[in-house]
């Protein structure tokens, strides 16, 4: 009779987890990077203004993308294949390594690329009212 334990695969975590972030590439940028003559990519920062902070920009030569970090509620775990090693109790002459998986990184944030139009880069983005600003404004209006 078959059970769920017939094909166990050991799972472990590496002590040295690699810090990784995944970047979502738009299809047109991926095609450009996989082409016979891929462009040189540069990362710069935008000008910070009194109404907006600076942010990272990825430039391909023909397009500019704003880089935004997005957090995820479910992290992505990166694994690599490995094998079990002998323990002190194992006989080294008869030991057979078993396949296993080992985590090498946990990705909790991804980088999103947003196409920036040339005229948008020249203007500062409009100030977005934050919740606490709207709340304070509505309370002040109620008191008047």
């Amino acid at each position: 009779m078959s059970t769920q334990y017939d094909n166990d695969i050991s799972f472990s975590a590496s002590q040295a987890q690699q810090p990784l972030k995944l970047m979502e590439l738009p299809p047109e940028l991926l095609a450009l990077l996989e082409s016979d003559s891929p462009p040189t990519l540069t990362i710069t920062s935008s000008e910070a203004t009194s109404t907006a902070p600076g942010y990272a920009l990825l430039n391909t030569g023909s397009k500019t993308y704003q880089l935004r970090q997005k957090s995820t509620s479910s992290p992505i775990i990166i694994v690599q294949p490995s094998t079990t090693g002998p323990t002190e109790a194992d006989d080294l002459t008869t030991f057979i390594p078993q396949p296993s998986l080992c985590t090498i990184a946990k990705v909790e944030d991804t980088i999103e690329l947003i196409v920036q139009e040339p005229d948008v880069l020249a203007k500062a983005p409009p100030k977005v009212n934050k919740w606490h600003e709207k709340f304070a404004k509505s309370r002040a209006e109620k008191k008047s």
Side-chain angles (χ1 to χ4, degrees):
M1 180 171 159
S2 179
T3 69
Q4 65 183 3
Y5 301 107
D6 283 349
N7 296 318
D8 287 349
I9 295 178
S10 297
F11 186 78
S12 62
S14 170
Q15 291 294 330
Q17 295 286 308
Q18 298 176 16
L20 295 176
K21 292 198 186 291
L22 297 179
M23 184 179 293
E24 296 180 38
L25 295 179
E28 66 273 3
L29 179 56
L30 180 61
L32 194 60
L33 292 173
E34 292 177 334
S35 69
D36 291 336
S37 56
T40 300
L41 303 179
T42 58
I43 297 178
T44 58
S45 65
S46 68
E47 293 291 325
T49 65
S50 60
T51 59
Y55 45 86
L57 299 172
L58 176 73
N59 192 323
T60 65
S62 60
K63 282 192 176 180
T64 301
Y65 299 88
Q66 178 184 352
L67 281 73
R68 285 194 191 164
Q69 180 172 301
K70 294 175 18 177
S71 297
T72 59
S73 59
S74 300
I76 299 167
I77 297 176
I78 309 295
V79 297
Q80 71 179 16
S82 61
T83 56
T84 58
T87 64
E88 291 178 12
D90 292 323
D91 180 5
L92 296 179
T93 58
T94 60
F95 178 77
I96 299 173
Q98 297 295 313
S100 65
L101 291 175
C102 181
T103 65
I104 59 168
K106 182 169 81 169
V107 179
E108 295 177 337
D109 303 310
T110 58
I111 305 297
E112 175 183 41
L113 298 179
I114 300 162
V115 177
Q116 297 293 292
E117 301 301 326
D119 59 332
V120 173
L121 293 174
K123 296 185 237 173
K127 184 177 179 183
V128 177
N129 287 333
K130 296 190 173 36
W131 176 85
H132 64 278
E133 293 170 348
K134 290 180 181 180
F135 180 73
K137 183 178 177 183
S138 66
R139 291 194 48 108
E141 289 172 357
K142 287 181 183 177
K143 289 182 180 180
S144 317

